[in-house]
Amino acid sequence: MNNKEIVAQAIYQVVKEDLTIEQVQQLLENPKSVDHGDVAFPAFALAKAYRKAPQQIAAELAEKIADTSFEKIEVVGPYLNFFMDKSAISAHVLATVIKDKNHYGDQTIGNQQAVPIDMSSPNIAKPISMGHLRSTVIGNSIGFILEKIGYQPIRINHLGDWGTQFGKLIVAYKKWGSEAAVKAEPINELLRLYVDFHEKAETDKQLEDEARAWFKKLEDGDPEAIQLWQWFRDESMKEFNKIYDMLEVSFDSLNGEAFYNDKMTEIVELLEEKHLLKEDQGAEIVDLSAYDLNPALIRKSDGATLYITRDMAAALYRKRNYDFAKSLYVVGNEQSYHFKQLKAVLKEMDFEWSDQMTHVPFGLITKDGKKLSTRKGKIVLLEEVLNEAIASANAQITEKNPNLVNKEEVAKQVGVGAVVFHDLKNDRLNNFDFTLEEVVRFEGETGPYVQYSHARAMSILEKGGFDADTAAITGLADADSWEVIKLIQRYPETILQAAEKYEPSVIAKHAIKLAQAFNKYYANVKILAEDSQKDARLALVYAVTVLLKEDLRLLGLHAPDKM
Ligand code: ARG
């Protein structure tokens, strides 16, 4: 039970006649200052039923409460302030963490149901962008969080490996490209060709038509088109895999847009059966005015299908293949309209499960306040950012801990961790401006700070010779340990909150707060003093290591033991 539940029970025993346990729970507040206790109950809610002044009600309630979970209950005006019995609660919380270890906070509400997570999904022949990094790390973390509450995440990389841009690329390659140049530097060269195409197409309108024709050939299975496409895809995948390897992210499926090319006929047939398709200047659309949305363009006049058509086929495929409980799309908020249309079209087709599809949007990464765009060639290369962060971590470790044996490995975990944590620590919808100095920072609310706090706690355990199996856990009652205990006690709720909101930042913030509370504890308390509470203090440090490591794991980061 958490503190609110304990307090709610205690009050409920006295006010049973007038309030339900849920009503009591609803009324409870978290006092702003620790001087006002851990939980507060406003007695004015009972003024009507009791026909008395709230102050009087508060005083009478305080007398009647028999529960012994509290150090004291203070009456301040109409408020009852509950001060929890720190000693009893800390002993209980620490014993629970020692028993459950990294499974502390696990829940079963997911019933092992499948949740496909559409994530990362970069576009072939273009560099993987900061936006795709966000999708990758947010999706990866949501996967871990959902798994912790009992779901089965299925990480799907819905690669952008189909669409008119391949027509453009083929045209550009055939006109201005060379095999040797692509082989030497695949993504850069393909990007150059793509940027070239757009520049030239501004004056030469015919290029767009040629590109459309080549994409149509690709859709129809023309061998030359297919062969070029396959080659671009393979070369791009090699580059993407470098990033995925660094991030240690893996996917359960790489079925991208191309995978659905042969599944489009069914979609069109289903739409026809339901009489949903309308002709519009030779193209086929579905009217969505009932949803206050623009029509969805399903097929162009030349027969070519679109992004949304492929997403419809993908949604149906996922429902059939995974029988999902929910289906998530971790994609930038600039695609919100697309996902509204996608859900609406599927709803029109009477696929009730479209209600279980959720777009999990995130904000933009800008550079000097401006949007990063691949088309204009303004990109921040992710691999360079990661390498820079690793180099910086290496330099700091060399300075602080020159004799560390696995320095290279730790530098990688810390450097990559810094980039990932920086992305995950803010509400995912916030935009943020990208500066390398900020990303590789080690102090303040950063990944390395959490990792460093974990390593520090580990070394205290080592020095203290802590043994979880034999430790005698007595209660801790001082103010510094209480701040740590509360964060440990609230962990199961924290996990649920992160899962319900699809918000890794809830975990990142918990990690920061826990690291801060622990560092304060470390500064104020002599943990290793030889007295009767040494084991309990070490148990608290142990619980901190367990939770920080678990927080980091849920975010996709390592927790090195030494750094
Ligand atoms: N490839 C797309 C892009 O980079 C993202 C795909 C998102 N997933 C989806 N099912 N539409 O913009």
Side-chain angles (χ1 to χ4, degrees):
M1 274 204 280
N2 63 36
N3 294 341
K4 269 196 177 165
E5 287 163 346
I6 296 171
V7 171
Q9 268 303 338
I11 297 173
Y12 176 65
Q13 294 311 322
V14 183
V15 301
K16 266 190 185 137
E17 321 265 279
D18 305 288
L19 295 177
T20 64
I21 179 93
E22 288 79 24
Q23 285 172 319
V24 177
Q25 280 246 9
Q26 296 268 308
L27 288 166
L28 295 179
E29 297 173 14
N30 289 321
K32 293 257 167 337
S33 129
V34 283
D35 301 338
H36 296 150
D38 301 298
V39 181
F41 178 75
F44 25 80
L46 287 161
K48 232 189 184 158
Y50 290 7
R51 296 164 182 278
K52 280 182 197 163
Q55 286 85 334
Q56 199 186 341
I57 299 172
E60 286 173 16
L61 278 183
E63 298 233 316
K64 285 191 199 144
I65 289 172
D67 198 304
T68 54
S69 309
F70 313 109
E71 259 162 28
K72 60 177 174 184
I73 303 172
E74 252 176 28
V75 180
V76 181
Y79 275 96
L80 278 171
N81 292 337
F82 291 82
F83 293 75
M84 306 304 296
D85 182 339
K86 300 185 185 67
S87 182
I89 289 176
S90 65
H92 174 72
V93 165
L94 294 177
T96 311
V97 178
I98 286 180
K99 177 166 68 68
D100 294 347
K101 307 207 166 48
N102 58 329
H103 290 295
Y104 177 67
D106 283 11
Q107 281 150 82
T108 54
I109 53 179
N111 266 321
Q112 292 309 310
Q113 298 173 95
V115 182
I117 305 174
D118 187 305
M119 54 184 264
S120 196
S121 313
N123 300 318
I124 299 300
K126 288 193 204 166
I128 183 163
S129 70
M130 292 305 279
H132 297 119
L133 167 75
R134 296 214 73 189
S135 172
T136 310
V137 301
I138 294 170
N140 193 41
S141 174
I142 290 175
F144 289 128
I145 294 166
L146 290 180
E147 196 172 42
K148 188 148 178 90
I149 64 163
Y151 286 100
Q152 252 186 65
I154 296 154
R155 294 177 173 83
I156 302 175
N157 194 341
H158 187 78
L159 291 166
D161 56 0
W162 209 247
T164 42
Q165 71 270 28
F166 289 93
K168 296 177 186 172
L169 207 57
I170 293 174
V171 170
Y173 175 73
K174 286 176 75 80
K175 284 190 195 292
W176 318 297
S178 82
E179 191 176 330
V182 174
K183 281 226 163 105
E185 257 196 320
I187 299 241
N188 281 345
E189 174 63 7
L190 291 173
L191 177 68
R192 191 187 66 75
L193 288 170
Y194 188 71
V195 172
D196 246 28
F197 180 93
H198 278 274
E199 265 168 22
K200 299 212 164 90
E202 271 173 27
T203 49
D204 184 354
K205 294 291 164 211
Q206 218 196 306
L207 284 173
E208 297 277 0
D209 289 337
E210 284 182 48
R212 257 191 291 280
W214 268 104
F215 177 54
K216 189 70 184 52
K217 278 194 187 184
L218 185 60
E219 283 202 306
D220 295 340
D222 173 89
E224 186 186 0
I226 293 275
Q227 189 231 323
L228 282 171
W229 168 82
Q230 185 69 51
W231 180 45
F232 296 156
R233 191 183 191 275
D234 292 347
E235 293 296 334
S236 301
M237 249 357 262
K238 278 188 216 157
E239 301 273 310
F240 297 160
N241 282 334
K242 285 191 207 159
I243 304 282
Y244 297 142
D245 287 349
M246 277 175 142
L247 296 172
E248 293 176 68
V249 172
S250 57
F251 300 93
D252 301 293
S253 163
L254 290 176
N255 290 340
E257 295 186 45
F259 178 77
Y260 301 100
N261 188 35
D262 65 358
K263 297 171 181 58
M264 236 72 93
T265 332
E266 187 192 355
I267 294 294
V268 174
E269 281 169 7
L270 284 168
L271 287 166
E272 271 164 356
E273 252 169 52
K274 302 222 172 242
H275 308 289
L276 290 171
L277 278 185
K278 276 206 212 151
E279 232 213 73
D280 184 56
Q281 299 169 12
E284 283 168 299
I285 62 167
V286 175
D287 179 65
L288 295 176
S289 50
Y291 302 81
D292 253 333
L293 294 168
N294 293 331
L297 182 52
I298 303 295
R299 203 152 57 167
K300 293 197 210 167
S301 51
D302 62 3
T305 56
L306 289 108
Y307 184 53
I308 194 166
T309 329
R310 294 186 281 279
D311 255 332
M312 292 164 72
L316 181 58
Y317 177 84
R318 287 173 197 173
K319 183 63 200 175
R320 285 178 180 156
N321 206 32
Y322 304 116
D323 190 24
F324 55 70
K326 29 186 160 204
S327 181
L328 307 183
Y329 294 83
V330 184
V331 184
N333 63 5
E334 68 277 8
Q335 292 196 30
S336 288
Y337 201 83
H338 164 76
F339 286 103
K340 280 194 189 133
Q341 287 184 311
L342 176 61
K343 285 186 68 167
V345 189
L346 294 167
K347 191 82 188 200
E348 277 295 275
M349 296 169 83
D350 294 325
F351 290 136
E352 289 307 319
W353 47 260
S354 60
D355 289 336
Q356 270 91 59
M357 288 165 52
T358 303
H359 176 211
V360 180
F362 52 81
L364 218 60
I365 301 186
T366 54
K367 180 101 182 97
D368 308 320
K370 288 194 205 79
K371 190 179 172 211
L372 300 159
S373 139
T374 1
R375 183 124 17 111
K376 306 218 175 65
K378 257 191 293 159
I379 40 149
V380 177
L381 290 174
L382 195 46
E383 209 184 326
E384 284 170 21
V385 173
L386 289 171
N387 282 327
E388 192 87 22
I390 294 170
S392 161
N394 210 327
Q396 306 211 25
I397 293 166
T398 306
E399 192 191 306
K400 283 191 181 151
N401 196 352
N403 301 322
L404 191 64
V405 267
N406 56 344
K407 197 167 82 182
E408 300 294 315
E409 191 191 353
V410 173
K412 202 190 132 217
Q413 295 177 347
V414 173
V416 174
V419 179
V420 173
F421 195 92
H422 179 265
D423 193 313
L424 295 178
K425 74 175 181 187
N426 296 309
D427 292 6
R428 62 177 152 71
L429 272 168
N430 287 1
N431 295 343
F432 67 84
D433 206 63
F434 181 87
T435 49
L436 194 62
E437 305 79 71
E438 187 60 30
V439 170
V440 301
R441 211 156 57 87
F442 280 51
E443 302 81 33
E445 305 190 342
T446 65
Y449 170 73
V450 176
Q451 288 171 319
Y452 184 70
S453 305
H454 170 267
R456 168 186 264 181
M458 288 300 284
S459 85
I460 298 172
L461 290 184
E462 198 175 62
K463 253 193 226 142
F466 179 71
D467 179 357
D469 296 328
T470 58
I473 313 302
T474 49
L476 297 170
D478 62 289
D480 290 304
S481 68
W482 187 235
E483 291 309 305
V484 179
I485 292 291
K486 279 192 286 186
L487 286 163
I488 301 174
Q489 189 192 18
R490 248 183 257 147
Y491 198 50
E493 287 164 64
T494 306
I495 304 277
L496 261 191
Q497 214 185 41
E500 271 159 17
K501 296 196 200 155
Y502 306 120
E503 193 55 273
S505 66
V506 169
I507 302 293
K509 285 175 184 143
H510 179 267
I512 290 285
K513 279 201 206 124
L514 185 58
Q516 285 169 343
F518 161 69
N519 285 321
K520 204 163 159 216
Y521 182 71
Y522 175 80
N524 293 347
V525 175
K526 290 203 165 51
I527 299 174
L528 294 175
E530 294 295 344
D531 60 30
S532 63
Q533 296 227 298
K534 182 180 165 197
D535 269 9
R537 286 190 301 269
L538 283 173
L540 178 135
V541 176
Y542 170 78
V544 167
T545 63
V546 171
L547 264 68
L548 286 182
K549 189 170 185 166
E550 186 64 357
D551 275 335
L552 290 167
R553 185 188 72 82
L554 293 174
L555 298 171
L557 270 71
H558 285 276
D561 288 349
K562 291 195 167 75
M563 63 184 268

